[in-house]
Amino acid sequence: METIRYEILEKILRAQLPALEREAVIPQDLPLATVGLDSVATVVLMDTLEDICGVTFPDEAIAPATFRTPGSLWAVLGRLANG
């Protein structure tokens, strides 16, 4: 499977988290909780990423650290896509 581009992750995050600015690049170290990622939004985001990116989050990846920042999420997605 091809590595997931950061731009794709940004597009998905913007669709799931309306508090994100529409035009600016999303910093990889942005705490996602500060822009509305709560437990319900995390589940919806995970399901969306699995559908769009063709990955499956294993149990050990379903953790707060995975969804803390776009960078941490992108790193996990990269490992899953190349796994």
Side-chain angles (χ1 to χ4, degrees):
M1 178 180 287
E2 180 179 324
T3 301
I4 298 160
R5 293 189 342 234
Y6 189 70
E7 294 82 15
I8 293 171
L9 177 58
E10 285 184 321
K11 184 177 180 177
I12 294 167
L13 287 172
R14 281 194 175 87
Q16 298 293 320
L17 301 169
L20 288 171
E21 294 181 23
R22 292 285 171 217
E23 300 300 321
V25 172
I26 300 171
Q28 288 190 30
D29 62 350
L30 175 72
L32 291 174
T34 65
V35 290
L37 189 69
D38 59 16
S39 58
V40 173
T42 299
V43 172
V44 173
L45 176 59
M46 185 177 64
D47 288 343
T48 302
L49 290 167
E50 287 182 337
D51 290 344
I52 292 174
C53 300
V55 298
T56 301
F57 284 85
D59 290 345
E60 62 273 8
I62 304 171
T66 298
F67 297 91
R68 184 160 290 130
T69 67
S72 62
L73 183 53
W74 190 42
V76 170
L77 286 170
R79 287 193 298 275
L80 295 176
N82 294 315

